[in-house]
Amino acid sequence: MVTYVKRHTNFTRAEFLDYWQTKHAPKVAPLAVYFNITRYQQIQVGGMVLPTAAGSTTPNSTVPVEFDGIAMFLYKSADVLTAMLSHPYYLEVIAPDEAVFIDKSAFGNGMVATWIGTNIEVTENGLDVWEGNSTYGGYYQRLFNSYL
């Protein structure tokens, strides 16, 4: 899942990014580990995006909206995410914290564009972990090596 996040109006972008990284992330980490979320990543970037609801493949509007960061969650199944978002710790600790720094009045409760898809690992920790056709992959590895 990749979601574009809109900061609360009480925060500057710098304050939002600092809070998200230093205050919110440590609250999310134990829950993500408990549910074996394989990656929770914050991408500190801002810009404009077409508002898109989670699970949709088309935007809800043709008018771009501002976002202030991108969150990425990788997990084995949608059931894992559903369980995590309904866990008492999420409901009592994380959700109230989100209301502090995320603009919940914005489209998608501040998650102004969200896409849910299938994760295909290609590299991890500097290693090729692609699980496709080994003949095809081997051909391109040899081709790449010829450039070294």
Side-chain angles (χ1 to χ4, degrees):
M1 176 182 76
V2 176
T3 188
Y4 290 63
V5 182
K6 173 79 177 119
R7 66 183 155 90
H8 195 286
T9 56
N10 292 341
F11 282 70
T12 66
R13 182 169 282 152
E15 291 168 336
F16 164 81
L17 294 173
D18 179 65
Y19 188 94
W20 192 24
Q21 179 182 358
T22 64
K23 304 289 190 290
H24 186 69
K27 294 172 186 171
V28 174
L31 185 66
V33 169
Y34 177 80
F35 279 97
N36 198 28
I37 301 296
T38 55
R39 178 174 301 276
Y40 166 48
Q41 185 172 0
Q42 299 174 349
I43 303 168
Q44 296 189 347
V45 64
M48 304 290 282
V49 66
L50 295 178
T52 306
S56 179
T57 57
T58 58
N60 290 70
S61 170
T62 58
V63 179
V65 295
E66 187 177 9
F67 71 92
D68 299 283
I70 301 171
M72 182 173 66
F73 287 88
L74 301 181
Y75 42 84
K76 297 294 182 189
S77 75
D79 293 340
V80 170
L81 184 64
T82 300
M84 185 177 88
L85 297 178
S86 63
H87 191 276
Y89 178 83
Y90 176 82
L91 298 172
E92 296 171 16
V93 177
I94 296 173
D97 188 55
E98 289 175 345
V100 170
F101 73 103
I102 295 174
D103 183 357
K104 293 297 192 170
S105 70
F107 179 85
N109 287 324
M111 312 304 182
V112 295
T114 301
W115 290 275
I116 300 170
T118 302
N119 179 49
I120 308 297
E121 296 289 344
V122 177
T123 66
E124 183 175 357
N125 297 322
L127 298 174
D128 180 344
V129 295
W130 183 65
E131 295 181 353
N133 180 302
S134 61
T135 302
Y136 194 70
Y139 169 80
Y140 284 100
Q141 183 62 56
R142 287 187 302 280
L143 177 62
F144 173 76
N145 291 346
S146 73
Y147 284 84
L148 300 179

